[in-house]
Amino acid sequence: MEERSELKKTLKPHWVWAIAFGSAVGWGAFVLPVDWMSAAGPLGVIIGFSIGAILMILIGVSYGYLIKKLPVSGGEFAYAYYGFGRYHAFFCGWFLTLGYMCIVALNASALALLVKFVLPSVAMQGLMYNIAGWEVYAGEVLIACLALIAFAYLNIRGTSLSGLMQFIFCITLIVGLILLVISMILHPSSSFTNIQPLFKPGVSTVAAVIAIVAISPWAYVGFDNIPQAAEEFNFSPQKAFKLIVIALICAAVTYSLTIIATAVAMPWQTLINQETIWGTGDVVNNAYGTIGVLLLSLSLCMGIFTGLNGFYVSTSRLLFAMGRANILPRAFAKLHPKYETPYIGIAFTCIVTLFAPFFGRQALLWVVDMSAIGVTIAYFYCCAVAYRLFRWSESGNNKTLAISPSKKAMTLLGVISSIGFLLLLIVPGSPGFLGTPSWVALFIWVILGLIFYAVKRKDLASIPKESLDYNVFGKTLDHESTSLDNESDIAKKDA
């Protein structure tokens, strides 16, 4: 067998929490409150995200168990292989890679959007062309590209450095958010009557809430960065579930607070009708001028930084795991000779995402909307594998399976939630149904995946299971493994 590269155990618990929380919040909490209120109303958004957080915690039960059982890089890719074999692992890893890379690119474009609002004379330099109604300037492209390069360099320099910086970013975000919310509530022109009506008029309460629940997989994506970094924990993997729950609760509270801070400033329907580029920025600017905008921009900037940093970590670890398993080229499994980081995956992510700013934000949003499907597929695989590993009661001869009816039920609810999220994205007429451009982007990615699979199929099939087991998990699975891949091997021997 080839030598298996392993990552150093350098991540502390509070750094891992920061990776999950910061990635889950990102820039959306500070940029999109007005968009969300236009779909559901202030209370509809808060209830929708609260329900979404509960559903994510149910899914998190499966993540917590599998991190404890399989503390390796790769997350859902490794779980899909363990539970269903190599082809499912490829399918899951392919879609998840796209989802993670899109979020890296979108965070970089969000930084350019922030500069466009705060310092338009800097970002709006050198108009190049127009894509889907979005004017692309050389200034904003340069800003996004510099951010992508800077965070790639930060991650190559070491996991400890990126983990520490992530924690500092998160603390700064939280302090800025608290100051912002208190300031907006206490402003003389603010009033809680501005939050009326609580829900979007003309739409049923249930439909309004479901519209927000439908985007929860995208809103909270980032808590699943924890399993990607599991191999680098310098603490017991048993703490992972607690960190997931705390991160999701903190994210839900953050989303709710930014809705309140925006809605109290002026009647929210009036704000929506103004159709401004950044509604929250406008109300803060009206209330406190430049100082208020700088405070909001600081929190937003930290949200962007945590998203960029966190998803660089998860994308590179996913590519590292797939390279180590020989599903992607083996080069992805190489570690930096000095910093011992998966630098090939980091550099590859940087190079691919550097193309994104040139396509304009509107075109990028189509791809990101589509990538929500990839994240949802990953949730499904995690929950489905965990469901298989629990038993309702003592039965059979397989002593490696855990007997826990309550966790079995929660993993089943996680499976159902994942399927529900997927249906909300793909069923026509549902609140989260993807637009035509997003379907086109999805179709292109599927075709690319089929081409790559056709090229790699024979190589993938020829890898001995013992070698795959060792490369993915660091050990060879015994005969009691629940993997369908293993079961097929046993069936062949019996035949």
Side-chain angles (χ1 to χ4, degrees):
M1 292 184 183
E2 297 181 65
E3 184 180 354
R4 181 179 186 269
S5 302
E6 293 188 3
L7 299 171
K8 293 175 65 177
K9 298 184 181 298
T10 57
L11 288 176
K12 300 177 181 179
H14 55 288
W15 294 355
V16 173
W17 162 81
I19 289 172
F21 165 68
S23 301
V25 172
W27 56 272
F30 303 95
V31 174
L32 298 176
V34 174
D35 294 354
W36 293 332
M37 286 191 290
S38 68
L43 187 57
V45 176
I46 293 173
I47 293 174
F49 277 137
S50 298
I51 293 173
I54 293 171
L55 295 175
M56 289 297 107
I57 289 173
L58 286 176
I59 291 173
V61 171
S62 299
Y63 278 96
Y65 176 69
L66 289 173
I67 291 170
K68 175 183 171 183
K69 187 175 182 65
L70 304 168
V72 295
S73 291
E76 298 91 339
F77 161 76
Y79 309 152
Y81 171 68
Y82 185 83
F84 298 104
R86 64 191 73 191
Y87 302 111
H88 287 270
F90 170 82
F91 177 79
C92 179
W94 182 260
F95 274 97
L96 194 56
T97 299
L98 173 69
Y100 285 165
M101 281 191 176
C102 285
I103 298 171
V104 172
L106 191 63
N107 273 283
S109 76
L111 181 61
L113 184 66
L114 171 62
V115 178
K116 207 171 187 177
F117 183 88
V118 179
L119 298 170
S121 60
V122 174
M124 299 174 71
Q125 288 287 332
L127 177 62
M128 297 192 295
Y129 42 77
N130 187 299
I131 293 183
W134 184 270
E135 294 181 335
V136 180
Y137 291 88
E140 63 179 327
V141 170
L142 180 62
I143 291 166
C145 289
L146 288 175
L148 290 167
I149 294 169
F151 277 90
Y153 177 72
L154 172 67
N155 274 268
I156 288 174
R157 283 294 304 270
T159 305
S160 295
L161 178 60
S162 60
L164 174 61
M165 293 306 298
Q166 184 81 355
F167 182 70
I168 293 172
F169 294 152
C170 285
I171 296 302
T172 306
L173 184 155
I174 290 171
V175 171
L177 174 64
I178 291 173
L179 292 174
L180 177 69
V181 173
I182 293 173
S183 300
M184 292 305 297
I185 290 175
L186 295 180
H187 193 273
S189 65
S190 295
S191 172
F192 281 99
T193 59
N194 290 331
I195 297 178
Q196 299 288 343
L198 298 177
F199 298 92
K200 181 181 179 180
V203 177
S204 72
T205 300
V206 173
V209 170
I210 290 177
I212 301 301
V213 174
I215 63 173
S216 291
W218 175 83
Y220 290 112
V221 63
F223 84 87
D224 54 315
N225 287 349
I226 288 183
Q228 297 297 340
E231 190 170 312
E232 298 162 88
F233 291 177
N234 74 349
F235 56 92
S236 170
Q238 293 182 347
K239 294 182 179 180
F241 178 63
K242 183 184 293 185
L243 294 173
I244 288 172
V245 172
I246 295 172
L248 285 169
I249 292 173
C250 289
V253 172
T254 298
Y255 283 126
S256 299
L257 289 177
T258 55
I259 292 294
I260 293 171
T262 305
V264 297
M266 63 185 296
W268 63 272
Q269 289 178 295
T270 302
L271 179 59
I272 290 170
N273 291 333
Q274 291 179 353
E275 298 183 349
T276 59
I277 187 173
W278 185 17
T280 303
D282 284 337
V283 298
V284 172
N285 186 43
N286 292 337
Y288 291 103
T290 304
I291 294 177
V293 171
L294 287 176
L295 179 60
L296 174 61
S297 298
L298 175 65
S299 297
L300 170 56
C301 201
M302 293 302 104
I304 293 169
F305 287 175
T306 57
L308 272 170
N309 192 52
F311 282 99
Y312 256 121
V313 170
S314 58
T315 308
S316 59
R317 271 56 178 182
L318 176 58
L319 293 171
F320 170 77
M322 294 177 74
R324 192 165 58 181
N326 290 310
I327 288 179
L328 291 180
R330 190 74 180 181
F332 284 102
K334 289 184 178 179
L335 298 180
H336 193 281
K338 180 178 180 180
Y339 303 118
E340 297 186 70
T341 52
Y343 70 106
I344 299 294
I346 296 169
F348 179 77
T349 301
C350 180
I351 292 169
V352 172
T353 53
L354 279 174
F355 289 97
F358 291 90
F359 288 92
R361 186 171 177 79
Q362 193 60 44
L364 183 58
L365 285 172
W366 298 337
V367 181
V368 171
D369 289 344
M370 170 273 292
S371 71
I373 288 183
V375 175
T376 307
I377 288 171
Y379 291 160
F380 168 79
Y381 270 111
C382 180
C383 295
V385 173
Y387 176 78
R388 292 190 65 197
L389 296 181
F390 285 112
R391 285 287 181 266
W392 297 110
S393 60
E394 187 77 44
S395 62
N397 297 320
N398 198 333
K399 304 302 181 184
T400 64
L401 300 179
I403 311 301
S404 179
S406 61
K407 289 183 179 178
K408 179 83 167 177
M410 283 189 280
T411 57
L412 177 59
L413 288 174
V415 170
I416 294 170
S417 298
S418 301
I419 294 173
F421 284 135
L422 186 61
L423 293 176
L424 286 170
L425 292 168
I426 65 176
V427 174
S430 65
F433 184 66
L434 298 178
T436 301
S438 297
W439 280 110
V440 173
L442 177 63
F443 177 76
I444 292 172
W445 187 250
V446 170
I447 293 299
L448 290 173
L450 291 173
I451 293 171
F452 186 81
Y453 174 75
V455 172
K456 290 283 293 181
R457 180 176 170 277
K458 288 185 178 180
D459 292 338
L460 183 58
S462 67
I463 303 173
K465 183 176 184 304
E466 292 76 13
S467 178
L468 262 178
D469 288 352
Y470 174 73
N471 285 328
V472 174
F473 305 116
K475 61 183 179 180
T476 300
L477 301 181
D478 61 30
H479 68 282
E480 292 182 331
S481 165
T482 58
S483 168
L484 293 183
D485 202 345
N486 189 51
E487 289 172 0
S488 65
D489 289 347
I490 295 172
K492 290 176 184 176
K493 292 177 182 178
D494 291 343

